[in-house]
Structures are given as structure tokens and as C-alpha cells.
Amino acid sequence: MNIVRTLTLAAALAAAPAALAQVAVVDPWVRGTVAAQKSTGAFMQLRSASDVALVGASSPVAGIVEIHEMKMDGGVMRMSAVRKLGLPAGKTIDLKPGGYHVMLMALKAPLSEGDSVPISLTFEDKDGRASTIVVNAPVKALTAVPAPAHTRH
Ligand SMILES: [Cu+2]
């Protein structure tokens, strides 16, 4: 497990006192797609030094990006959009197949192993100040990790 990126996030408002949050994004990756597949998941571990929340994401490869949660509901795996994913200080939040993930939808092209997908992650601190970091997530082959089917929305 590598720490891919640890960035210091500055407050969006230059005039505000320097509100700094540190979020480490560990092992980001994106599941590869096959032709005509329009959505896939991005996975990573997030750890913040202070209480923040992941409130949004975007990527140039996808028309729509949402934060999703996947869970069993009456024996059926269901996904639902999450407006805010809280990152309590010092706690590692695992985005992984079958759980939380960043959903890349309306894909503009298939994603193949070896590609690198830039993903912007927007975090908000408890005072409502937003900051964004960009990670480059390598694409892993569709079969790299077994997971429930994840192609329909
Ligand atoms: Cu999803």
C-alpha cells in the first residue's frame, strides 16, 4: 500500500484564516470497462487529519460522478447516492467494491488497464469551507478484484 498523495488543502477563500485540512488518498484505482459499458467505480482509502466530508467528485472521463454506497437490502445489492461521506479525524474510510465508491457515469470512452484517470475530490470542513484535490487513479482490469455486478443504474 503506497501513500499516493498527501496534500495540504487550503481554504478556498484567500481572505479567510488559513483553514488547513490534510487528506491522504491511498491506493486509488478504477475498475476497467468493456466496450459500451457506461459506468464504473473508483475506489481508494481516505484519511483526514481533521473532521471533513467528501461532498463531491468529478472526472474528465465521465459526464456524471457521484459518491455511492452499496449495501445489502433484503438480499439484493443496491447502490444509492450519498450527498456527504464523513471522514472523522484520523479514521481511514475505505472505498471498496461492495461498499462506498466513487461512481463514474456517462463514460466518454472505455477505460483500459494501464490508463490513468484523474479524479477531483471535493472536501468540506466543518465550517463549510470546500477544497479540492486531484488524484490520478490507475485502471485495473475488470477481473482484478471479484465484486458484484456493477454496471447498471
Ligand atoms: Cu455506484
Side-chain angles (χ1 to χ4, degrees):
M1 190 185 296
N2 310 317
I3 300 237
V4 170
R5 192 157 297 205
T6 303
L7 290 182
T8 300
L9 307 179
L13 292 174
L20 299 174
Q22 282 199 326
V23 178
V25 180
V26 181
D27 280 349
W29 64 282
V30 171
R31 183 187 301 284
T33 63
V34 293
Q37 186 181 340
K38 285 299 178 197
S39 63
T40 190
F43 310 96
M44 65 201 75
Q45 284 120 44
L46 298 173
R47 176 191 269 262
S48 175
S50 57
D51 291 347
V52 298
L54 176 63
V55 295
S58 65
S59 174
V61 306
I64 303 167
V65 182
E66 292 180 353
I67 304 157
H68 278 186
E69 182 179 16
M70 200 176 214
K71 57 184 174 194
M72 292 299 282
D73 177 12
V76 181
M77 255 314 193
R78 290 188 199 282
M79 282 199 287
S80 53
V82 175
R83 202 178 60 80
K84 234 178 207 204
L85 172 55
L87 306 179
K91 187 164 182 248
T92 298
I93 302 296
D94 210 1
L95 280 66
K96 58 173 192 261
Y100 289 112
H101 54 279
V102 174
M103 195 78 195
L104 306 172
M105 293 177 284
L107 291 174
K108 293 165 187 171
L111 303 175
S112 310
E113 184 159 27
D115 290 350
S116 179
V117 176
I119 301 173
S120 298
L121 301 168
T122 301
F123 299 94
E124 198 174 274
D125 70 14
K126 52 185 186 301
D127 299 318
R129 282 178 292 225
S131 37
T132 297
I133 63 175
V134 179
V135 296
N136 283 303
V139 175
K140 292 189 187 175
L142 193 62
T143 52
V145 178
H150 193 249
T151 53
R152 299 200 71 111
H153 269 264

